[in-house]
Amino acid sequence: MNKPNPNPEPAVNTPKIVISADIGGSETKAIAQIYPSGVPIVLAMPPEIADVSKTSVARFVPNSYNTSIWVGMGDEYYVLGALAKSVFAGTSALRDLKSHYALPKLAALLWLACRQFQFDTNNIDAFIQVLMPPGEISNAHNLGKKLGQSLNRGIVTPTNKLKGKLRNFHVAPEGSGIMIYRSRTLAASYTQKNIGLLMLGYRNASFVLSQKGNPALAETTDLGMNWLVQQFVQRTAVGLSKEDEHLVTAIIAAGKGNFEPLRSLSRQATPEGVSADLKLFQNILPEVRSDYCRALVRWIRNIPSLDEILICGGTADFVKKELTDHFQNEGIPIVWNGGVQFPAPLDTKGLGERVADVWTAHITYILMLDKNFAYDRKQDLVPDPNKPRLSTPISGLAQLREYAKKREAEQPLNS
């Protein structure tokens, strides 16, 4: 299951779908494309999930497939996204490992991709890459076997059964896409530097160290945005709920100087009470933010000296000033998002830098598939209509092609 079947290649008439997925704590994000020549698209799904009975989902039809998402595998049925939260009290399951609910989330992404590409779901060839925190890699290896078995039997969806073959399942560490991208940008000097990669997500934070081109350290901690949100709810103690979908956006807005969204969080019944809550929020948030940054610094302070640090993830922008001040004081240059620029034409979900890692991981995965199938790719994944054969820095494909060939011997197409 770890390698595509080279003998024979899947039938020409069978749609080949490639998906690279990042099962984030605030949103499940993925890049999907028809292989080999399709232009990639972004898939996004809220993180909430709920296990339900078969009869519970029968009344939900697929006329609004972006909100009515559910899958059935054997006797297990799961509702995902907005439907899970609004109807079934689903949660984002932040205390569980990402691998715990990865199977139904990957199945749902496959179904969403089929709907977007208008494919018949009865016969597909799937190539799946999933990003996991460094500390959960070993937990994810059985996912491929389970997903392949489910596809063979047929996954129940709001439309038809989703059936096909899982031709490849690849597990990659979070941050690997950005690190490979940066290594190609630096060329020979990459093997002369100690480079740290700090990834700040909603569920957790991860740190990876490349020591002169060799993996030296990979750690994961619970210090994601969720830690800050929990602290804010506990310290304000005015009845806020960390499950409130408006809480994170209000905190982020306040971090940029707009405190009005915090006002709407108040549950007080009088204007005076609301004003008192707002003043409390304005006092508590800087304290929580400072403590969060201090905790991050304590976590990574004992690492060897760095020549540079790459910082990425949706939470990074919220504490950008504090992190910038710290690493400037330490004399360590910061490269935000590893220098990756996500192609603007693909940013249909407005996720921006939040998909930098899964985007660069997807590029690397496609190049590995190209190598396996001996496909001579003539243009970038996101073609420039004015220069159809010119590789551009935006896609990163040209920068990575030679690197992928160089590393193919030491990083074969497996997990």
Side-chain angles (χ1 to χ4, degrees):
M1 187 61 65
N2 286 332
K3 294 185 178 182
N5 181 6
N7 250 330
E9 186 176 344
V12 174
N13 293 329
T14 303
K16 294 187 278 293
I17 298 179
V18 181
I19 294 178
S20 298
D22 178 1
I23 305 174
S26 62
E27 195 154 23
T28 296
K29 305 171 286 291
I31 308 293
Q33 77 172 89
I34 303 169
Y35 187 82
S37 56
V39 176
I41 63 171
V42 175
L43 300 176
M45 185 170 61
E48 286 79 15
I49 188 168
D51 55 312
V52 297
S53 66
K54 180 179 180 179
T55 55
S56 296
V57 299
R59 58 195 172 101
F60 295 100
V61 295
N63 55 349
S64 180
Y65 64 86
N66 59 329
T67 55
S68 298
I69 305 173
W70 58 265
V71 293
M73 291 170 284
D75 296 329
E76 304 293 331
Y77 280 74
Y78 301 90
V79 178
L80 301 99
L83 182 64
K85 183 174 183 178
S86 62
V87 179
F88 295 98
T91 70
S92 51
L94 294 176
R95 292 187 177 181
D96 295 308
L97 296 174
K98 284 190 176 183
S99 55
H100 184 74
Y101 284 117
L103 184 60
K105 290 190 175 185
L106 291 174
L109 287 172
L110 260 178
W111 177 71
L112 285 174
C114 287
R115 295 282 290 180
Q116 291 278 9
F117 295 137
Q118 298 183 344
F119 281 161
D120 184 349
T121 57
N122 287 323
N123 184 27
I124 63 169
D125 282 318
F127 300 80
I128 306 294
Q129 173 181 225
V130 61
L131 303 182
M132 284 287 169
E136 294 187 35
I137 294 294
S138 61
N139 296 326
H141 287 301
N142 286 331
L143 286 175
K145 181 179 180 181
K146 293 178 180 179
L147 183 59
Q149 291 172 343
S150 297
L151 274 174
N152 286 336
R153 291 192 300 261
I155 299 170
V156 184
T157 73
T159 52
N160 302 318
K161 273 194 173 183
L162 177 60
K163 299 190 69 174
K165 299 291 184 181
L166 183 60
R167 299 292 179 175
N168 175 251
F169 186 82
H170 183 71
V171 181
E174 291 177 347
S176 59
I178 286 179
M179 187 65 84
I180 291 176
Y181 184 96
R182 185 60 180 165
S183 69
R184 183 54 195 163
T185 302
L186 293 173
S189 66
Y190 176 70
T191 59
Q192 302 168 11
K193 293 177 178 286
N194 292 340
I195 300 176
L197 172 60
L198 179 62
M199 296 162 285
L200 303 178
Y202 187 79
R203 180 196 304 257
N204 51 37
S206 296
F207 181 80
V208 174
L209 174 64
S210 172
Q211 214 162 30
K212 301 191 183 305
N214 298 309
L217 177 68
E219 294 183 357
T220 303
T221 180
D222 292 333
L223 291 172
M225 184 72 173
N226 180 59
W227 185 94
L228 186 148
V229 170
Q230 286 184 320
Q231 291 294 313
F232 183 74
V233 170
Q234 291 173 9
R235 295 191 201 182
T236 53
V238 290
L240 299 181
S241 169
K242 64 183 181 65
E243 301 297 333
D244 185 344
E245 61 184 11
H246 302 295
L247 181 57
V248 174
T249 55
I251 289 176
I252 291 174
K256 296 179 180 179
N258 179 14
F259 294 99
E260 280 307 303
L262 286 178
R263 184 187 299 274
S264 64
L265 298 177
S266 174
R267 302 177 65 180
Q268 296 289 346
T270 65
E272 293 78 13
V274 171
S275 295
D277 274 358
L278 179 58
K279 184 177 181 180
L280 175 67
F281 299 157
Q282 291 174 312
N283 290 334
I284 294 295
L285 184 56
E287 296 177 7
V288 174
R289 181 168 163 166
S290 174
D291 287 346
Y292 175 66
C293 292
R294 289 173 182 271
L296 284 174
V297 170
R298 280 197 303 272
W299 175 49
I300 62 176
R301 73 193 310 175
N302 294 322
I303 61 175
S305 60
L306 296 176
D307 295 297
E308 66 177 35
I309 188 164
L310 319 178
I311 303 180
C312 63
T315 306
D317 188 58
F318 180 71
V319 289
K320 187 171 185 176
K321 181 184 183 303
E322 290 83 352
L323 292 178
T324 299
D325 290 344
H326 169 74
F327 287 109
Q328 281 182 346
N329 290 336
E330 295 291 322
I332 301 174
I334 299 175
V335 182
W336 295 98
N337 299 308
V340 176
Q341 293 182 353
F342 185 58
L346 299 189
D347 196 12
T348 55
K349 305 294 183 182
L351 296 173
E353 70 279 355
R354 294 173 62 192
V355 291
D357 187 31
V358 73
W359 168 240
T360 48
H362 183 76
I363 294 172
T364 305
Y365 189 44
I366 289 294
L367 290 174
M368 291 196 296
L369 291 175
D370 288 349
K371 179 70 174 179
N372 182 266
F373 290 122
Y375 179 74
D376 185 15
R377 189 168 297 276
K378 299 297 185 182
Q379 65 182 30
D380 283 343
L381 296 182
V382 187
D384 183 341
N386 299 316
K387 300 177 181 178
R389 295 180 65 85
L390 179 64
S391 294
T392 66
I394 288 181
S395 77
L397 185 58
Q399 293 181 322
L400 288 170
R401 184 178 284 114
E402 290 184 10
Y403 178 81
K405 290 180 180 178
K406 176 183 174 183
R407 293 292 297 271
E408 199 277 333
E410 53 190 279
Q411 283 189 333
L413 186 54
N414 56 44
S415 56

